[in-house]
Amino acid sequence: MVNEEMESSLKVIDVARVTPSNSDSSESLTLPLTFFDLLWYKLHAVERVIFYKLTDATRPFFDSVIVPNLKTSLSSSLSHYLPLAGKLVWEPLDPKPKIVYTPKDAVSFTVAESNADFSRLTGKEPFPTTELYPLVPELHVSDDSASAVSFQVTLFPNQGFCISVNAHHAVLDGKTTTNFLKSWARTCKNQDSFLPQDLIPVYDRTVIKDPMDLDTKILNAWHRVAKVFTGGKEPENPKSLKLLWSPEIGPDVFRYTLNLTREDIQKLRERLKKESSSSSVSSSPKELRLSTFVIVYSYALTCLIKARGGDPSRPVGYGFAVDCRSLMVPPVPSSYFGNCVSACFKMSLTAETFMSEEGFLAAARMVSDSVEALDENVALKIPEILEGFTTLSPGTQVLSVAGSTRFGVYGLDFGWGRPEKVVVVSIDQGEAISFAESRDGSGGVELGFSLKKHEMDVLVDLLHKGLEN
């Protein structure tokens, strides 16, 4: 919940329904959820806010140019992505949920105006994360149905505007979401509905092979996870689509963005090479994989665990999503619509490992080994991943990743230039770090953090000190 002072900074102008441009001639469409989708169906939706700096963004210009262009191009783009206008449902007699689109279905499109400080929300200093919440549209979720996606465009008079997306993770993963956003941006900027082949979604569910009845195993695992969250009680409605948990975020939770330049990453790479060659810890039998992801994620999670401090023997863990499109046999098309993402988690660790002098190196060795071990079998481990959360020690700090440097979110130009900033708001719902490519396209990485203020103060100091050495 946001407090009244923050709510008063937003004025809702309109809440519209936008239908696909071909809705009159389109046919109904049903897509069953695959085991990849079922991994995410009880988890929080993914909320992104994309800020555009535009001093010409007056209210008349917003009303007469920006909003109409966005709505028209959204309608056109939805004609290629019909399931986004549909709903996630779980019929009483069905073994699993499905996505259903029928003609005349629509997405919610909120138009609003904010008097918040645009430069503060897009700047480099930490600020309360609740200031972002009015910019995120609601996503309808009930026991028996859920919207696939909702949108909001918000004007900051004479400063710019933002486009916000709230996407149900059981319907689409980050790759599909950004493919849709690229389609929408291209259509809006070029004022035509032509899409290149790599942005036309593939709906063929038969490309996802399920040799081990993973659907059933995953749904059973979710049932056991739900029992843990209800103190051992059987869920009242085993087929409810409602989320398992959605923690309330207080005003003491702050948001911070760190830009690591290519030079920063190279400096960290050299540091790891040096520490690895002189380490007192017995060397890993494998050579360190010093990719940008391994380096940056290891650095971020080491700093986060140190910022939390506390008992060195406290339990911690880490994880990251894995795009399985290229790992599957045969490979899944890159434009496949839905989820083709598994995850890799390493639990039962202690904070001491990361808080020690060689914590960064220890983290890099573990993350490197995790990445090296990835193959087509990562998809088969989804039930095992969920089961792991049923035995997690209370208070375990589990860090994860949202987004990817491969999504190209800073290339989303709707006709008014590249984004000033892209924020993944939903990292507040868990201890996640958002990843994106650097805005300037120079090969750097942009990291987003959400932490309580006292921890954030420590984290910012640690992040910058580690780059000075």
Side-chain angles (χ1 to χ4, degrees), residues 425-444:
V425 179
S426 44
I427 62 169
D428 295 341
Q429 300 296 322
E431 301 205 51
I433 307 154
S434 67
F435 269 59
E437 78 282 9
S438 59
R439 182 181 182 273
D440 61 9
S442 62

Side-chain angles (χ1 to χ4, degrees), residues 414-433:
F414 285 79
W416 298 283
R418 292 161 63 85
E420 183 71 13
K421 191 171 186 179
V422 180
V423 178
V424 182
V425 179
S426 44
I427 62 169
D428 295 341
Q429 300 296 322
E431 301 205 51
I433 307 154

Side-chain angles (χ1 to χ4, degrees), residues 212-226:
M212 299 170 59
D213 192 22
L214 290 173
D215 284 0
T216 304
K217 291 177 181 176
I218 291 168
L219 288 171
N220 288 341
W222 268 122
H223 185 80
R224 287 188 282 276
V225 172

Side-chain angles (χ1 to χ4, degrees), residues 373-414:
L374 296 176
D375 57 26
E376 70 273 14
N377 291 319
V378 70
L380 308 180
K381 294 176 182 174
I382 293 176
E384 185 185 314
I385 290 165
L386 288 173
E387 294 287 358
F389 284 90
T390 65
T391 57
L392 211 55
S393 302
T396 302
Q397 183 181 14
V398 182
L399 301 165
S400 60
V401 173
S404 168
T405 56
R406 296 178 181 178
F407 289 162
V409 291
Y410 279 101
L412 292 171
D413 181 356
F414 285 79

Side-chain angles (χ1 to χ4, degrees), residues 72-85:
T72 303
S73 54
L74 175 58
S75 177
S76 176
S77 302
L78 286 170
S79 68
H80 295 281
Y81 288 79
L82 292 175
L84 294 187

Side-chain angles (χ1 to χ4, degrees), residues 19 108 116 136 191 243 251 319 327 346 415:
T19 56
S108 173
V136 178
Q191 299 290 298
L243 307 180
L327 293 174
K346 192 171 178 68

Side-chain angles (χ1 to χ4, degrees), residues 20-36:
S21 57
N22 62 345
S23 62
D24 289 336
S25 58
S26 63
E27 295 181 357
S28 297
L29 177 67
T30 298
L31 293 176
L33 294 196
T34 71
F35 64 86
F36 281 120

